[in-house]
Amino acid sequence: MSDIDRYDYAFDLEGDAWAARLLRRVPEGGSVLELGPGPGAMTQVLRARGQAVTVVENDPAALQALQPLGVELVEADLDGRVWLDALEGRRFDTILACDVLEHLRQPEQVLKALAGLLQPMGSVIISLPNIAYAGVAAALRAGMFDYADKGLLDRTHLRFFTRRSIEQLLMDCGWVPIAWEANRVPVAQSEFAWYWESIPDAWRQHLLTGWADFDVYQWMAVAAPARDSRDWAAVQVRAEANQLRTQLQALQVTHAAEHASLLEHQKAFAEARQLIAQFEQELEQLRQQVRQLATDKAALEQVCSNTQAALAGRTWRARLDRLLGRGLV
């Protein structure tokens, strides 16, 4: 695998790929400065959206791959100042620094310089690998910290970051994080799977206790210059208010439908109660009739019994009279 092939990939812009999620943070229609784009996987999408893109890249193979894309190329090393001189006086709506700062000797100098290249209310979007990944901890437990051609321990990584150190870096360089997003990768699906599976279950559970971000492979931070932080706060409040308003409207629509359904159910229940009351009334009437019939039956049986007794008595009396001659005239 060549150096450039490591950073060449395809993705669905509407999917959940990390690159797609990063690009969804870029407002459409604005100008973009992309730092270290490699062969241009994300650059192609930006150009397809019709956005003006300027890239800073120093890899010859990447520059060759970028030329057909119709972007402005600045061939320079980000650790130097040539690219800043080339862009002096320029302003961009969005700056992308995705998986690039970890390759620099002095990322602080780059971040400090970027504020001067941003339009008012613009933002920088950075993506950095998270060294506080559970897979790295598992490898360290085995005494391993081996560099590789790609991944968290890419051999070209010069700096390592956690969310806290990213936030500190941004704030030290005059930036305020306004949004965070995590790229979560199951450890069992990472390059550290073997180390993770070799840990006893009890140790694994102990490591995960209270560690909400154990599977964060990369962090995304959207940041604004400190000078714009109050304006961004207002924008966020308005966005949250609009979101709440939209949610409220959706709830009202749902409530209206559910209320109508509830009224229908209440109407059906009322009708059912009336029918039940009617059935209970008819049932009580039937029970009264059954009780009356039972009483009439008992009375009739008594009459029958008395009649049978009387008939039986008369028969014996007639026979006795005949025996005594009472029947003779």
Side-chain angles (χ1 to χ4, degrees):
M1 177 184 294
S2 68
D3 287 344
I4 196 64
D5 288 338
R6 291 182 298 165
Y7 306 110
D8 195 9
Y9 52 89
F11 60 92
D12 177 9
L13 184 58
E14 303 301 323
D16 198 45
W18 187 233
R21 291 160 63 185
L22 288 164
L23 286 178
R24 284 199 284 270
R25 295 281 185 169
V26 180
E28 294 191 21
S31 57
V32 179
L33 172 63
E34 187 177 8
L35 306 182
M42 297 173 66
T43 317
Q44 295 180 53
V45 177
L46 293 169
R47 290 295 297 136
R49 293 195 328 197
Q51 294 186 256
V53 181
T54 300
V55 301
V56 179
E57 180 60 68
N58 69 336
D59 186 295
L63 289 166
Q64 185 176 0
L66 290 165
Q67 284 179 355
L69 301 183
V71 298
E72 180 184 0
L73 298 174
V74 176
E75 183 177 356
D77 184 349
L78 287 168
D79 273 320
R81 289 199 55 84
V82 172
W83 65 282
L84 289 173
D85 294 336
L87 296 174
E88 186 175 2
R90 301 280 299 279
R91 296 292 183 271
F92 301 90
D93 296 299
T94 306
I95 299 175
L96 282 175
C98 300
D99 300 315
V100 64
L101 296 178
E102 67 272 24
H103 298 275
L104 304 180
R105 293 190 302 274
Q106 295 182 310
E108 300 88 350
Q109 299 303 318
V110 172
L111 283 173
K112 289 177 181 178
L114 290 180
L117 296 173
L118 205 59
Q119 292 277 17
M121 295 304 293
S123 62
V124 62
I125 302 170
I126 69 171
S127 171
L128 286 166
N130 177 35
I131 197 64
Y133 181 64
V136 176
L140 286 172
R141 181 258 173 190
M144 307 298 289
F145 196 82
D146 293 343
Y147 289 93
D149 288 335
K150 63 178 182 177
L152 288 182
L153 300 183
D154 187 315
R155 65 182 77 259
T156 63
H157 289 178
L158 303 181
R159 300 284 293 271
F160 297 95
F161 299 91
T162 65
R163 171 167 173 162
R164 182 180 180 279
S165 64
I166 295 170
E167 186 173 31
Q168 190 65 53
L169 173 67
L170 288 169
M171 295 179 68
D172 288 346
C173 295
W175 296 89
V176 176
I178 57 176
W180 290 91
E181 194 167 338
N183 181 24
R184 297 183 181 273
V185 176
V187 184
Q189 298 177 15
S190 73
E191 65 268 33
F192 304 100
W194 185 88
Y195 301 112
W196 184 248
E197 294 300 328
S198 68
I199 297 178
D201 288 341
W203 291 17
R204 212 162 31 236
Q205 292 304 317
H206 178 71
L207 276 175
L208 299 182
T209 302
W211 189 2
D213 297 331
F214 78 96
D215 60 347
V216 177
Y217 197 85
Q218 292 162 287
W219 284 110
M220 177 206 306
V222 181
R227 64 174 186 263
D228 294 338
S229 59
R230 290 186 178 180
D231 293 333
W232 269 107
V235 169
Q236 288 182 307
V237 169
R238 284 195 296 270
E240 290 174 2
N242 289 334
Q243 183 179 15
L244 289 173
R245 190 177 294 108
T246 300
Q247 292 175 350
L248 177 60
Q249 291 173 347
L251 286 173
Q252 288 173 337
V253 171
T254 302
H255 173 73
E258 292 178 347
H259 183 65
S261 176
L262 178 61
L263 291 178
E264 289 296 324
H265 281 87
Q266 288 176 339
K267 180 180 178 181
F269 289 151
E271 293 175 352
R273 282 197 297 268
Q274 291 178 353
L275 288 174
I276 291 172
Q278 181 179 347
F279 290 153
E280 288 179 344
Q281 183 179 3
E282 293 176 355
L283 181 60
E284 182 58 30
Q285 291 175 353
L286 290 173
R287 285 173 178 166
Q288 291 177 1
Q289 291 177 8
V290 169
R291 287 195 293 269
Q292 184 61 46
L293 289 173
T295 301
D296 294 346
K297 178 184 176 184
L300 183 59
E301 287 177 343
Q302 185 62 45
V303 170
C304 290
S305 177
N306 293 338
T307 302
Q308 289 176 352
L311 290 174
R314 290 178 181 178
T315 301
W316 281 103
R317 187 176 296 111
R319 291 177 62 187
L320 183 60
D321 289 343
R322 283 197 300 272
L323 290 175
L324 295 174
R326 293 177 182 176
L328 297 176
V329 177

Short mmCIF file of all heavy atoms in Angstrom, two decimals, residues 37-64:
data_model
loop_
_atom_site.label_atom_id
_atom_site.label_comp_id
_atom_site.label_asym_id
_atom_site.label_seq_id
_atom_site.Cartn_x
_atom_site.Cartn_y
_atom_site.Cartn_z
N PRO A 37 -5.77 17.20 2.24
CA PRO A 37 -6.89 16.38 1.77
C PRO A 37 -6.49 15.01 1.23
O PRO A 37 -7.36 14.20 0.92
CB PRO A 37 -7.50 17.23 0.66
CG PRO A 37 -6.33 17.97 0.09
CD PRO A 37 -5.45 18.27 1.27
N GLY A 38 -5.17 14.75 1.08
CA GLY A 38 -4.76 13.50 0.46
C GLY A 38 -5.24 13.45 -0.98
O GLY A 38 -5.21 14.46 -1.69
N PRO A 39 -5.71 12.29 -1.44
CA PRO A 39 -6.15 12.17 -2.84
C PRO A 39 -7.49 12.84 -3.12
O PRO A 39 -7.95 12.84 -4.26
CB PRO A 39 -6.22 10.66 -3.05
CG PRO A 39 -6.48 10.10 -1.70
CD PRO A 39 -5.74 10.99 -0.74
N GLY A 40 -8.16 13.35 -2.08
CA GLY A 40 -9.36 14.16 -2.34
C GLY A 40 -10.68 13.43 -2.22
O GLY A 40 -11.64 13.80 -2.90
N ALA A 41 -10.78 12.44 -1.34
CA ALA A 41 -12.06 11.73 -1.17
C ALA A 41 -13.17 12.68 -0.75
O ALA A 41 -14.28 12.64 -1.29
CB ALA A 41 -11.89 10.60 -0.14
N MET A 42 -12.87 13.56 0.19
CA MET A 42 -13.87 14.53 0.64
C MET A 42 -13.94 15.72 -0.32
O MET A 42 -15.01 16.31 -0.51
CB MET A 42 -13.54 14.99 2.06
CG MET A 42 -13.60 13.87 3.09
SD MET A 42 -13.02 14.35 4.73
CE MET A 42 -14.26 15.55 5.20
N THR A 43 -12.81 16.05 -0.93
CA THR A 43 -12.77 17.17 -1.86
C THR A 43 -13.72 16.96 -3.03
O THR A 43 -14.40 17.89 -3.48
CB THR A 43 -11.33 17.35 -2.41
OG1 THR A 43 -10.39 17.22 -1.35
CG2 THR A 43 -11.17 18.70 -3.07
N GLN A 44 -13.78 15.73 -3.53
CA GLN A 44 -14.66 15.42 -4.66
C GLN A 44 -16.11 15.72 -4.31
O GLN A 44 -16.86 16.24 -5.15
CB GLN A 44 -14.51 13.95 -5.04
CG GLN A 44 -13.13 13.58 -5.57
CD GLN A 44 -13.06 12.11 -5.92
OE1 GLN A 44 -13.88 11.59 -6.68
NE2 GLN A 44 -12.07 11.41 -5.38
N VAL A 45 -16.52 15.39 -3.10
CA VAL A 45 -17.90 15.63 -2.69
C VAL A 45 -18.19 17.12 -2.61
O VAL A 45 -19.24 17.60 -3.06
CB VAL A 45 -18.19 14.95 -1.33
CG1 VAL A 45 -19.60 15.26 -0.86
CG2 VAL A 45 -17.98 13.44 -1.44
N LEU A 46 -17.24 17.86 -2.06
CA LEU A 46 -17.41 19.32 -1.97
C LEU A 46 -17.53 19.94 -3.36
O LEU A 46 -18.37 20.82 -3.59
CB LEU A 46 -16.24 19.93 -1.22
CG LEU A 46 -16.13 19.58 0.28
CD1 LEU A 46 -14.80 20.03 0.84
CD2 LEU A 46 -17.28 20.23 1.06
N ARG A 47 -16.71 19.50 -4.29
CA ARG A 47 -16.76 20.03 -5.64
C ARG A 47 -18.07 19.64 -6.33
O ARG A 47 -18.65 20.43 -7.07
CB ARG A 47 -15.56 19.51 -6.45
CG ARG A 47 -14.24 20.10 -6.02
CD ARG A 47 -14.17 21.60 -6.27
NE ARG A 47 -14.27 21.89 -7.71
CZ ARG A 47 -15.02 22.86 -8.23
NH1 ARG A 47 -15.74 23.63 -7.42
NH2 ARG A 47 -15.02 23.06 -9.52
N ALA A 48 -18.53 18.41 -6.07
CA ALA A 48 -19.80 17.96 -6.66
C ALA A 48 -20.97 18.80 -6.15
O ALA A 48 -21.98 18.96 -6.84
CB ALA A 48 -20.03 16.49 -6.34
N ARG A 49 -20.83 19.37 -4.96
CA ARG A 49 -21.86 20.25 -4.42
C ARG A 49 -21.72 21.67 -4.97
O ARG A 49 -22.51 22.56 -4.63
CB ARG A 49 -21.76 20.30 -2.89
CG ARG A 49 -22.12 18.98 -2.25
CD ARG A 49 -22.40 19.01 -0.77
NE ARG A 49 -21.71 19.97 0.05
CZ ARG A 49 -21.62 19.88 1.39
NH1 ARG A 49 -22.18 18.83 2.02
NH2 ARG A 49 -20.99 20.79 2.09
N GLY A 50 -20.71 21.88 -5.79
CA GLY A 50 -20.53 23.19 -6.41
C GLY A 50 -19.78 24.19 -5.56
O GLY A 50 -19.84 25.39 -5.84
N GLN A 51 -19.08 23.72 -4.54
CA GLN A 51 -18.38 24.64 -3.64
C GLN A 51 -16.97 24.93 -4.13
O GLN A 51 -16.30 24.06 -4.70
CB GLN A 51 -18.35 24.06 -2.22
CG GLN A 51 -19.75 23.97 -1.62
CD GLN A 51 -19.74 23.54 -0.17
OE1 GLN A 51 -20.05 22.39 0.13
NE2 GLN A 51 -19.43 24.45 0.74
N ALA A 52 -16.55 26.16 -3.89
CA ALA A 52 -15.18 26.55 -4.22
C ALA A 52 -14.25 26.00 -3.14
O ALA A 52 -14.47 26.24 -1.95
CB ALA A 52 -15.08 28.07 -4.29
N VAL A 53 -13.24 25.25 -3.56
CA VAL A 53 -12.36 24.58 -2.60
C VAL A 53 -10.91 24.96 -2.89
O VAL A 53 -10.45 24.89 -4.04
CB VAL A 53 -12.53 23.05 -2.67
CG1 VAL A 53 -11.62 22.37 -1.65
CG2 VAL A 53 -13.98 22.65 -2.44
N THR A 54 -10.22 25.32 -1.84
CA THR A 54 -8.77 25.54 -1.90
C THR A 54 -8.12 24.51 -0.99
O THR A 54 -8.57 24.32 0.14
CB THR A 54 -8.40 26.95 -1.41
OG1 THR A 54 -9.05 27.91 -2.26
CG2 THR A 54 -6.89 27.16 -1.45
N VAL A 55 -7.09 23.84 -1.49
CA VAL A 55 -6.46 22.79 -0.69
C VAL A 55 -4.99 23.13 -0.48
O VAL A 55 -4.34 23.75 -1.33
CB VAL A 55 -6.58 21.40 -1.36
CG1 VAL A 55 -8.04 21.04 -1.58
CG2 VAL A 55 -5.82 21.36 -2.67
N VAL A 56 -4.49 22.69 0.68
CA VAL A 56 -3.06 22.81 0.98
C VAL A 56 -2.54 21.39 1.15
O VAL A 56 -2.98 20.65 2.03
CB VAL A 56 -2.80 23.62 2.27
CG1 VAL A 56 -1.30 23.69 2.56
CG2 VAL A 56 -3.40 25.01 2.15
N GLU A 57 -1.62 20.99 0.28
CA GLU A 57 -1.11 19.62 0.27
C GLU A 57 0.33 19.65 -0.22
O GLU A 57 0.69 20.46 -1.08
CB GLU A 57 -1.99 18.74 -0.63
CG GLU A 57 -1.58 17.29 -0.75
CD GLU A 57 -1.60 16.57 0.58
OE1 GLU A 57 -2.70 16.37 1.15
OE2 GLU A 57 -0.49 16.23 1.06
N ASN A 58 1.15 18.73 0.32
CA ASN A 58 2.55 18.69 -0.13
C ASN A 58 2.96 17.33 -0.66
O ASN A 58 4.08 17.16 -1.11
CB ASN A 58 3.49 19.09 1.02
CG ASN A 58 3.52 18.05 2.14
OD1 ASN A 58 2.57 17.29 2.29
ND2 ASN A 58 4.59 18.03 2.91
N ASP A 59 2.05 16.34 -0.64
CA ASP A 59 2.37 15.02 -1.16
C ASP A 59 2.23 15.05 -2.68
O ASP A 59 1.14 15.34 -3.21
CB ASP A 59 1.42 13.98 -0.56
CG ASP A 59 1.79 12.57 -0.96
OD1 ASP A 59 1.70 12.24 -2.16
OD2 ASP A 59 2.17 11.77 -0.07
N PRO A 60 3.29 14.74 -3.44
CA PRO A 60 3.23 14.81 -4.91
C PRO A 60 2.13 13.94 -5.50
O PRO A 60 1.43 14.36 -6.44
CB PRO A 60 4.62 14.34 -5.35
CG PRO A 60 5.51 14.62 -4.17
CD PRO A 60 4.66 14.40 -2.97
N ALA A 61 1.98 12.72 -4.97
CA ALA A 61 0.94 11.82 -5.51
C ALA A 61 -0.45 12.38 -5.25
O ALA A 61 -1.35 12.29 -6.10
CB ALA A 61 1.09 10.43 -4.89
N ALA A 62 -0.66 12.96 -4.07
CA ALA A 62 -1.96 13.56 -3.75
C ALA A 62 -2.23 14.77 -4.65
O ALA A 62 -3.34 14.94 -5.14
CB ALA A 62 -1.99 13.98 -2.28
N LEU A 63 -1.23 15.58 -4.87
CA LEU A 63 -1.39 16.75 -5.74
C LEU A 63 -1.77 16.33 -7.15
O LEU A 63 -2.63 16.96 -7.79
CB LEU A 63 -0.10 17.57 -5.76
CG LEU A 63 0.22 18.33 -4.47
CD1 LEU A 63 1.66 18.82 -4.47
CD2 LEU A 63 -0.75 19.51 -4.30
N GLN A 64 -1.18 15.26 -7.62
CA GLN A 64 -1.51 14.76 -8.96
C GLN A 64 -2.97 14.28 -9.01
O GLN A 64 -3.67 14.52 -10.00
CB GLN A 64 -0.57 13.62 -9.33
CG GLN A 64 -0.76 13.11 -10.76
CD GLN A 64 0.26 12.05 -11.13
OE1 GLN A 64 1.11 11.68 -10.34
NE2 GLN A 64 0.17 11.55 -12.36
#
